[in-house]
Amino acid sequence: MFSERYPEESATAPTQPAREKQDAVAGRSNEMGASRRGTPEQELHLKEFILDKAREAIYLIGPDLRFVYVNDEACRSLDYSREELLAMTPPDIDPDVTREHAQQIHAQLLARGSVTINTRHRRRDGSLFPVEMQGSLFEYQGQMMNVAFVRDITERKRLEDQLAAREREFRSLAENSPDTIARYGRDCRRRYVNPAYAAQAEGSADALLGKTPSERPVYADAQRYEAALAKVFASGKGTEFELKWADRQGWEVCSLIRLTPEFGATGDVATVLAVGRDITELSASRVKIHQMAFYDALTLLPNRALFGDRLRQTITEASRHGQLAGVMMLDLDHFKTVNDTMGHPAGDELLRETAARLGACVRAYDTVARLGGDEFAILLPELRSGDDLGRVATKMLDALSRPFLLDGKQVFVSCSIGIALYPSDSTEADDLLKFADSAMYLAKQSGRNRFRFYSRALTESANERLMLESDLRQALARKELALHYQPKVRLRDGVLIGSEALLRWKHPQRGMVPPDKFISIAEDSGLIVEIGEWVLRQACEAAFAWNGIGKPLHKTAINLSARQFQTGNLVGLVREVLESTGCYPEWIELEITESLLLDEASEVLGMLKAFRSMGISIAIDDFGTGYSALSYLSRFPIDTLKIDRSFIGGIATSSQSAELVKAILTIAHCLGYQVVAEGVETEKQAAFLRAHGCEIAQGYFYGKPMPRPEFECLPLSISG
Ligand code: C2E
Ligand code: MG
Ligand code: MG
């Protein structure tokens, strides 16, 4: 600027002689008084003063390449006096500039008017320092002069070197990083890719450079990638996301991509750096952990935790949109038997197959979960009506009633299903599960292979059962149980020939609880084993008392539950009780139900044979209510059939019942069974039975079940 204006300025003072001015310029200005525009000489001094204050070294070089003027900074930076410097030429202070070189620069200056070069200057002590020199040429009074502005760039060079080192360092990091690194421009095209990225994606950097994520390589969601890049460019904020893509061999890779904005001089995001870390293994193990935490390993169905989660989600959705949803609990009937008799691999196979069949019964957005054991739960969102649930449940019952092929054998299982409905039964997830569970329990109670909807009344009865069960656990110890005896009479002559021992429970608050209410609870809870043993002992003690030398034979019938055959050593127990009470085997009869005989897998037949060989007689109780045909019974060692009282009640009024009873009597006698008629309440019934050859009768007509002391007062013959 000043160098450009200088000739102009000088042109405004044509009166001043050139030599004088030159001297003045070269002369040292040590006096500066004028602060306002004064004489030309004063003005010249002012300019010199300013030149000396400049931070750059200024050299005025004449056509003979000698210094014509040097400012204070030039002297200071080289540590020479002005006089010394004015006696020098540029090559004296610049080791890189020979006289020839200086002339070349001069020639360049002539051609272009100005030139900027980086070179070195030498101080008095010989030390060198880097400088940037900007030279300009101008004509002064017919002579070409060169003014050089020289700036010490030691600090700048140091910074540049530092920057270059840093750049080298970054490059080395990027080039050797196992992470993939790419730099993207605003157009989403790559400006840089590191070797790791090039190698993993395409084998060469060229295939990636200049390309967008949509173009190469194959990303699962390139659009998302580009949207994320655009967002970083717009917001200036970094972001992170996971991306699946195919490497050059076609393997799926999962990368954690970190996008970082790189700002330009204007403060805008100039480029975005994308660093990708390979988390394929991590992602796989995360999937595995998730699988383990939320899925059942055997059936691959959602587990309880995931089911609960989905149920809560469904409730939230359903409440928002006013929809219905259903929860089902499903339990396989007799799963334990399969597991116990065919082994665990067969049990596992059964569960897997069950899972598959259930899955086929529901819609894609329903959830079938395995809660544990043989317990499944089904979640059915967005229902049109509660009736849909009944239809799905029927479908499931059908699906599971088809035979399963396990271990080469056909196995039949069934299931029990309980259903609860959102929102009518409850709006709470836990309640819905609990209610479906209690409905399922009741489905089991009412004969299995069926479904039941939850209803409050059902729950109340389930709760009642629970309370009874907990009381029953203590009933024996508290001596609340008692045995009553009902007389059995020979129809021919009315002689008392035996009794049936019937259990009674005197509940401290509820009073007398009938066996129909608590025997099934005792069976389900397993308490029947302990209670049954007590009954056996009591009845055998009574039978011992009522039999003996000189007394007519009195047979006491004892009811046994299926559960007693399945648990413990029943035969051993009976033998032990007989021995300890002194009761003879022929003084008792064991009553079992037909259903016990249907379980082919069990060892019932062997046990019955053992009783028979001991001399104990066996009776089939409630005959006619079960499924068995008379011919089927012949395979078992049975002595007595007890015709269920539902048939006896009708013999006088319904010809159908009468015919049935006659038929049973005929066939039973052909097979050699003795027949007991249960529930005989009238003389008419007794007469009918007598007329058709029924041997024994039991019923209110002869006597209700009564406590032992009362029973012992009965006469030897009861005519009703
Ligand atoms: P069950 O073995 O068929 O016993 C006969 C049932 O018929 C008894 O009911 C008896 O009171 C009732 N009964 C007898 N005669 C008549 C009659 O003329 N009219 C009417 N309406 N009923 C009559 P209970 O004592 O209530 O026993 C019910 C069931 O409980 C028994 O049926 C038996 O299956 C079971 N039970 C009773 N005691 C025991 C026991 O110690 N162990 C086991 N496992 N079950 C038992
Ligand atoms: Mg009985
Ligand atoms: Mg009976």
Side-chain angles (χ1 to χ4, degrees), residues 336-367:
K336 200 180 165 304
T337 319
V338 172
N339 234 2
D340 290 351
T341 57
M342 301 185 70
H344 286 265
D348 287 353
E349 186 50 35
L350 174 60
L351 291 173
R352 271 195 292 264
E353 178 64 20
T354 301
R357 290 191 192 181
L358 293 179
C361 294
V362 298
R363 302 161 300 179
Y365 50 94
D366 295 333
T367 299

Side-chain angles (χ1 to χ4, degrees), residues 1 139 218 487 496:
M1 280 165 286
E139 196 182 333
V218 182
L496 179 69

Side-chain angles (χ1 to χ4, degrees), residues 131-196:
V131 294
E132 183 190 79
M133 187 168 75
Q134 194 199 349
S136 302
L137 203 60
F138 64 95
E139 196 182 333
Y140 181 64
Q141 294 190 338
Q143 287 201 317
M144 293 312 289
M145 304 287 274
N146 175 13
V147 62
F149 296 90
V150 176
R151 181 173 298 178
D152 182 344
I153 55 168
T154 309
E155 183 58 19
R156 195 171 85 194
K157 265 233 164 306
R158 196 182 60 76
L159 287 174
E160 275 173 7
D161 288 352
Q162 221 174 46
L163 229 79
R166 237 183 255 168
E167 176 75 19
R168 272 198 310 278
E169 210 173 296
F170 164 75
R171 265 208 175 262
S172 164
L173 277 176
E175 306 275 289
N176 296 305
S177 164
D179 291 340
T180 63
I181 301 175
R183 179 175 277 135
Y184 287 92
R186 272 191 180 273
D187 51 5
C188 284
R189 297 192 181 279
R190 292 183 195 98
R191 305 267 176 87
Y192 167 80
V193 295
N194 75 337

